[in-house]
Amino acid sequence: MTTTTLTLVRGSITDQSVDAIVNAANSSLLGGGGVDGAIHRGGGPEILAECRALRAARYGRGLPTGQAVATTAGRLDARWVIHTVGPVYQVSGSDPSLLASCYRESLRVADELGARTVAFPAISTGAYIWPMEDAARIAVETVRNTETAVTEVRFVLFDERAYAAFAGQLH
Ligand code: ADP
C-alpha cells in the first residue's frame, strides 16, 4: 500500500512543479474563470486544443460532473492537467458524493497516467460557491480514503481563508 502525504501550499496552482495539476473545469472543457482561466493562460493553447479534441471525440455533451480527464499541461511545469468538473452548490441541496467523486476520479486518472505528485485546487469553492469548510472536509476525507499510488497530494489554496479551512482538516 502506498502512503500518500497530504501537503498544503498557499499560492497559485499554476506555479506548482508536480506530475499533474488538477483543473476545476466546467463541463464544456473550453475554459472559464478562476483556476480554469489561470491554467489555460499559463499553459497556453495546446491545452485548449486537446480539450476541443476530447469534446469532438469522447465528450460531445461535455464532461459530466464528478468525472475527470487528462490533457497535456502545455507550458506549465507539469506533465498533465487533469480536468474535473465540480458540482455547483445549491442551498436547496447539493450532492457531496459528486464533489468527492472529483477527487477520487482525478486520483484514478493520475494512477492511470503514472503520476506520483498531484496538485489540487479547492474544487467548487469559487464560481460554484460550495462552502469552504465543507469542501475542505470532503476533499481531505476523500483523499485519505482513496487507495492510490500517488505519493503526494498537494492542496493549493489561493487565500488565507481557504488555507485555514484545509489546515483545520489536516490536524
Ligand atoms: P469552481 O468553478 O469549481 O468553483 P473556481 O476556479 O471558480 O472553481 O474556484 C475554485 C477555488 O480556487 C476557489 O477557492 C478560488 O479562490 C481558487 N482559485 C482561483 N484561482 C486560483 C489559482 N490560480 N490557484 C489556486 N486556486 C485558485
Side-chain angles (χ1 to χ4, degrees), residues 11-15 23-26 33-39 41 84-87 120-130 132 156-159 161-162:
S12 174
I13 194 116
T14 55
D15 291 337
N23 182 15
N26 58 58
V35 170
D36 206 2
I39 284 177
R41 271 195 308 279
T84 189
V85 182
F120 279 96
I123 299 165
S124 285
T125 64
Y128 288 177
I129 65 168
W130 202 289
M132 188 61 79
V156 183
L157 293 324
F158 210 43
D159 57 30
R161 193 176 65 94

Side-chain angles (χ1 to χ4, degrees), residues 87-162:
V88 179
Y89 184 78
Q90 279 156 339
V91 180
S92 55
S94 307
D95 186 355
S97 72
L98 283 174
L99 184 53
S101 176
C102 289
Y103 289 93
R104 214 171 28 246
E105 287 298 301
S106 295
L107 290 172
R108 191 180 61 72
V109 170
D111 282 342
E112 278 173 14
L113 295 165
R116 292 291 176 265
T117 53
V118 179
F120 279 96
I123 299 165
S124 285
T125 64
Y128 288 177
I129 65 168
W130 202 289
M132 188 61 79
E133 300 287 331
D134 195 50
R137 180 185 58 77
I138 292 165
V140 170
E141 272 181 19
T142 304
V143 170
R144 279 194 174 135
N145 293 324
T146 301
E147 180 51 36
T148 171
V150 170
T151 55
E152 182 191 355
V153 165
R154 187 181 306 170
F155 292 109
V156 183
L157 293 324
F158 210 43
D159 57 30
E160 192 48 47
R161 193 176 65 94

Side-chain angles (χ1 to χ4, degrees), residues 5-103:
T5 305
L6 279 60
T7 58
L8 298 186
V9 168
R10 182 163 168 198
S12 174
I13 194 116
T14 55
D15 291 337
Q16 307 307 308
S17 304
V18 283
D19 293 335
I21 289 175
V22 175
N23 182 15
N26 58 58
S27 70
S28 81
L29 291 176
L30 300 180
V35 170
D36 206 2
I39 284 177
H40 284 286
R41 271 195 308 279
E46 258 187 279
I47 300 176
L48 191 58
E50 273 195 38
C51 285
R52 285 190 202 285
L54 282 168
R55 279 297 302 271
R58 281 165 59 193
Y59 296 108
R61 293 180 183 170
L63 181 66
T65 304
Q67 295 191 25
V69 68
T71 65
T72 174
R75 296 192 296 258
L76 295 172
D77 191 13
R79 292 178 68 186
W80 302 282
V81 170
I82 298 173
H83 306 263
T84 189
V85 182
V88 179
Y89 184 78
Q90 279 156 339
V91 180
S92 55
S94 307
D95 186 355
S97 72
L98 283 174
L99 184 53
S101 176
C102 289
Y103 289 93

